[in-house]
Amino acid sequence: MAKTWKEWEKPLLELDEALGKLRELARVATPDRRAELERRIAESEQRRNRYIDVMYSRLGPWEKVLVARAEKRPYSLDYINALFTEFIELDGDRRYGADHAIVGGVAFFDERPVMVVGHQKGRNIQERQYRNFGMAKPEGYRKAMRLFDMANRFRMPVVTFVDTPAADPGVESESRGISEAIAAAMQRMFELKVPVVSVVHGEGGSGGAIGIAVANRVLMLEHAIYSVIPPEGCAAILWRDPDRGPQAAAALRLTAQSALEYGLIDDIILEPHGGAHRDPPGAIRAVGEALARHLAELGAFDGEALQADRYAKFRAMGRFGEGAA
Amino acid sequence: MRPGDGASGVFCQCAECKKILLAGELFEALGVCPNCGHHHRLSAARRIEVTFDPGSFEELDADLRSIDPIEFPEYSEKLRKAEAKTGSRDGVVSGVAALDEIPVSVAVTDFDFMGGSLGSVAAEKIVRTFERGLERKTPVIVFSASGGARMQEGLFSLMQIAKTTAAVQRCRDQAIPYISVFTDPTMAGVLASHASIADVILSEPKALVGFAGARVSKQAQVSKVPDNFQTAEFVFEHGMIDRIVPRKEMRPTLIRLVRALGGHLRG
C-alpha cells in the first residue's frame, strides 16, 4: 500500500514526465518534425487524462489521506494571497510568542473587510521547520482568538483555512496549555456575532483543526480529510500496528463525502480534474466561488442569529438512542 | 470491582505501593491507600456517594445509549461488553444532587466504560448537565476520567468537543458557576474541551492529565520529558489548574466553592 501521494500516483507522474519531455522536444524541433510530435503529445495527454479518470474515480479513504497531504496542493497562504486583496498579516498572542503554524490577518474579499486565519504548512525542510509542520502551539490558538475578538469588535466576517495534521503534541505545548488554548479558541468562536466560514482544504486533524473550525458553514474540498485521530494513530491504538493506516482510514470515514452525508459539514467544493495539486489555480477559483456564495448567504443574518445558528448547528451533532433498548 | 469500590474479598492490594490492605479499610478511606496515599479510580456511583449529600443524587438521562453511527469495526461488541462490565449504558452518569443542601447539576465519568471516552452519549449528557444548570440556576460540577474522544464514532466524536464547549459558553454568559474536577486520567479531547475552561479547575493528586498520549509526546520530542510530565502536579505548576485536592478534602472544597461562587443564584 502506498504511503505517499507520489507512490500512489507513480504511473501518472511517469506519464506526466514523458509528456514533459515530448513538449520539450517539440519546442526545439524543426517544423516538419513538430507536427508529428504534437500528434504524439495530444495522444499522450488523452492517455494521461483517461488514467486520471480511472484513478480518481476509485479514490478510497486512504488515497484521499495521501492526496490531502500532497505538498503540491495549495496551502492556506496560497488561497489567502490569491483570493483576498490587501492582506496584512497580524501576529503574536501578546502573551508568549509568535507561532508560524497559524497565520492570520485582515484583508478584503470582494471589497469587504474580513479576518482570515489558517494553518500553514511548509514545502521544503526549512519551511516545514519554520511552520512546525502545520502543528500549532498554544500561542497559535491564542493569536487566532485575538483575531476572532477583533473581527467581532469590528464586525468583520471570519474565514478560516484548516490544514493541520494535529496540534503540536510536545512538552512545550503541554507546559503552556495546548488543551486549554484549543478549548478557549472554540469557545471564542461560539461567541462571535459575525459570519464564520471554515474551509478544510487539506488535513483536518482532530482538535488542532476544530480549534479554528467552529463555523456557520464548514466546507471541505473534495479530497480533503477530517478526522478525530490520524489513521496511523488509530491503527496503532486499535491493532498495535501503525501500518494498518489504510484500514483505519476506511473505518474512520474521514472523507468529505462521509462528513457531508452525516451532516457534520455543509458543502463540498469540487476539485479540478486529478486533484487540487494538479491545478492549483483551478482549486483556488473553486474555493473563491464557494466562499463568495456562503458569505453572501450569511450576510442576510444579524449577529444574534449567526451566533444562535452556530450554537444550534453544533448542539445537534451526535447520534444516540434514547428510551428502552 | 476495583480496590476503592469495596472489593468483595477481605484483602486487596494497593495498585501503587503493592501493600496488602484490608478491603474494608481501603473502602472507608474512599479508595485512597492508607500507606502511600495513592488515589484508586472510583466508579461513578461511588464517586457520587462520597462527594454529594447522602441520598441527594437523582440520576437523569439514564436511558441514553450509544449506537454505532459509522459502523466502526467491533464497536457494537465493545459497547455490549462495557455495558455488562459497568451495568451502565455509557461512561457518564448525570443528574442533580446537593452539596450541603445547595442544589447542583452534576456529571461524573466512569473510566471503566471504554476508558471514559467521549462519544455522542457522554457529550449529550454533559451538555444536558450544563443546560440543567442554566434552567435551574444551580452550579455545575463535572468530574472527568477519560482517555479522550471516542474514536469509534469518527468525526461525530470530534464534534462532541465543540458541542460541550458551546454549552460551557452559554453557562458563562448566564453566570452559572462551573467547577471541573480532573481525576485519573483526564486526557486529549476531554481536556481540550469543557474540562479546561471551567471557572475553577481542581484535580485529584497524581492524576494523568495531558493533551497527547505520552508515547506521541515522547516520539515528537528530542529533549527529555520531565519526570512529572502530564500529571496533575505538572499542570498545576504551569498554572493550568487552581488546586490539587486530595479526595477526602474534595467534598468540603466543593461546598465552599459552590457557596461562594453560587451566592448570586440564591438571592
Side-chain angles (χ1 to χ4, degrees), chain B:
Chain B
M1 189 72 74
R2 287 155 302 193
D5 281 357
S8 44
V10 177
F11 298 103
C12 62
Q13 191 179 31
C14 172
E16 184 67 26
C17 71
K18 310 291 176 201
K19 189 173 173 185
I20 304 295
L21 305 164
L22 284 167
E25 181 190 19
L26 185 62
F27 182 76
E28 286 307 314
L30 317 181
V32 178
C33 173
N35 184 50
C36 73
H38 177 69
H39 283 54
H40 292 87
R41 285 178 187 150
L42 294 183
S43 66
R46 179 69 176 146
R47 172 79 60 188
I48 288 163
E49 190 179 283
V50 305
T51 309
F52 301 101
D53 294 357
S56 70
F57 179 70
E58 181 196 347
E59 184 172 4
L60 295 162
D61 300 320
D63 60 341
L64 265 57
R65 63 177 189 283
S66 289
I67 55 172
D68 183 8
I70 65 165
E71 295 169 334
F72 195 94
E74 295 162 46
Y75 184 32
S76 295
E77 291 79 354
K78 280 182 181 158
L79 282 172
R80 274 198 296 276
K81 275 187 200 155
E83 281 173 11
K85 184 176 171 190
T86 61
S88 321
R89 285 196 161 176
D90 209 273
V92 170
V93 176
S94 57
V96 291
L99 273 169
D100 207 13
E101 297 183 8
I102 298 170
V104 288
S105 178
V106 302
V108 177
T109 311
D110 198 327
F111 184 77
D112 264 5
F113 196 106
M114 290 189 72
S117 54
L118 186 77
S120 296
V121 168
E124 180 70 21
K125 284 186 168 183
I126 289 168
V127 168
R128 291 187 189 185
T129 300
F130 287 115
E131 288 172 348
R132 265 193 293 277
L134 277 166
E135 284 155 18
R136 302 183 184 200
K137 303 229 175 303
T138 64
V140 175
I141 299 174
V142 177
F143 279 84
S144 298
S146 173
R150 185 173 293 170
M151 63 183 173
Q152 288 85 353
E153 293 188 14
L155 193 58
F156 280 104
S157 67
L158 182 61
M159 296 304 138
Q160 302 312 303
I161 79 171
K163 176 168 158 175
T164 61
T165 299
V168 176
Q169 166 54 26
R170 289 189 118 194
C171 282
R172 186 170 282 218
D173 264 0
Q174 301 298 315
I176 298 300
Y178 159 40
I179 302 165
S180 169
V181 185
F182 298 172
T183 71
D184 184 57
T186 298
M187 295 292 294
V190 168
L191 190 65
S193 63
H194 58 278
S196 283
I197 47 172
D199 295 298
V200 174
I201 305 177
L202 310 175
S203 179
E204 288 200 333
K206 307 276 169 68
L208 187 68
V209 178
F211 177 65
R215 253 171 303 163
V216 178
S217 274
K218 276 175 188 160
Q219 268 173 12
Q221 290 293 309
V222 187
S223 60
K224 203 171 162 282
V225 169
D227 285 342
N228 67 351
F229 187 53
Q230 293 188 329
T231 61
E233 290 69 19
F234 179 86
V235 291
F236 175 74
E237 268 171 34
H238 287 87
M240 296 301 146
I241 65 174
D242 291 281
R243 301 176 73 81
I244 293 174
V245 180
R247 194 169 289 162
K248 68 176 191 328
E249 291 167 29
M250 191 60 79
R251 177 178 154 82
T253 304
L254 289 173
I255 289 172
R256 270 196 200 183
L257 286 170
V258 295
R259 284 181 50 197
L261 302 175
H264 64 291
L265 301 172
R266 296 188 300 277

Side-chain angles (χ1 to χ4, degrees), chain A residues 40-316:
Chain A
R40 281 175 58 193
I41 287 171
E43 265 178 27
S44 293
E45 276 177 344
Q46 269 189 1
R47 192 160 63 238
R48 186 201 55 174
N49 289 343
R50 277 200 305 273
Y51 209 89
I52 290 176
D53 290 341
V54 172
M55 284 187 83
Y56 274 75
S57 67
R58 56 177 187 213
L59 206 61
W62 178 248
E63 287 75 33
K64 294 225 186 217
V65 170
L66 303 181
V67 169
R69 291 173 179 168
E71 68 279 5
K72 283 197 171 175
R73 283 172 81 82
Y75 284 161
S76 295
L77 277 175
D78 299 318
Y79 288 107
I80 292 169
N81 289 325
L83 293 173
F84 299 82
T85 53
E86 298 178 64
F87 173 60
I88 293 193
E89 188 172 353
L90 303 175
D91 214 335
D93 66 347
R94 305 293 191 270
R95 288 157 186 240
Y96 179 83
D99 189 316
H100 308 296
I102 286 182
V103 296
V106 289
F108 290 80
F109 186 79
D110 282 346
E111 296 177 14
R112 267 204 71 183
V114 290
M115 186 66 78
V116 289
V117 171
H119 300 100
Q120 181 64 24
K121 292 181 179 173
R123 288 204 169 83
N124 55 43
I125 292 171
Q126 291 90 337
E127 269 182 31
R128 283 192 179 109
Q129 274 178 350
Y130 182 70
R131 301 293 180 187
N132 195 31
F133 305 88
M135 299 191 295
K137 294 179 178 169
E139 32 290 9
Y141 294 97
R142 289 178 183 138
K143 166 170 68 183
M145 267 186 261
R146 242 192 79 218
L147 301 184
F148 296 151
D149 282 346
M150 215 189 304
N152 205 36
R153 255 194 323 277
F154 304 135
R155 295 283 170 261
M156 303 158 80
V158 173
V159 177
T160 72
F161 291 93
V162 176
D163 184 24
T164 180
D168 180 81
V171 174
E172 271 186 74
S173 286
E174 292 273 12
S175 304
R176 297 196 291 276
I178 184 67
S179 304
E180 188 273 347
I182 289 171
M186 287 192 287
Q187 186 184 25
R188 209 57 66 93
M189 293 190 89
F190 279 111
E191 290 177 22
L192 302 179
K193 291 184 163 62
V194 293
V196 184
V197 179
S198 292
V199 183
V200 182
H201 61 83
E203 282 183 283
S206 195
I210 186 88
I212 62 165
V214 176
N216 296 92
R217 302 283 167 86
V218 179
L219 323 178
M220 278 182 81
L221 258 68
E222 187 183 357
H223 306 314
I225 57 167
Y226 202 175
S227 185
V228 66
I229 183 169
E232 294 89 341
C234 175
I237 293 172
L238 276 188
W239 305 303
R240 299 182 194 286
D241 182 3
D243 289 340
R244 287 174 71 179
Q247 277 148 288
L252 287 165
R253 306 201 188 247
L254 42 60
T255 66
Q257 292 69 29
S258 289
L260 185 68
E261 185 194 321
Y262 294 136
L264 300 175
I265 63 164
D266 302 283
D267 203 358
I268 291 178
I269 302 170
L270 294 180
E271 296 191 18
H273 189 239
H277 56 298
R278 199 155 264 108
D279 177 14
I284 289 167
R285 260 196 316 278
V287 168
E289 284 160 17
L291 273 180
R293 191 172 71 250
H294 287 284
L295 283 171
E297 284 174 19
L298 293 172
F301 299 95
D302 68 20
E304 298 291 333
L306 289 165
Q307 187 185 19
D309 163 75
R310 210 176 304 119
Y311 180 81
K313 173 185 150 100
F314 284 89
R315 176 68 185 86

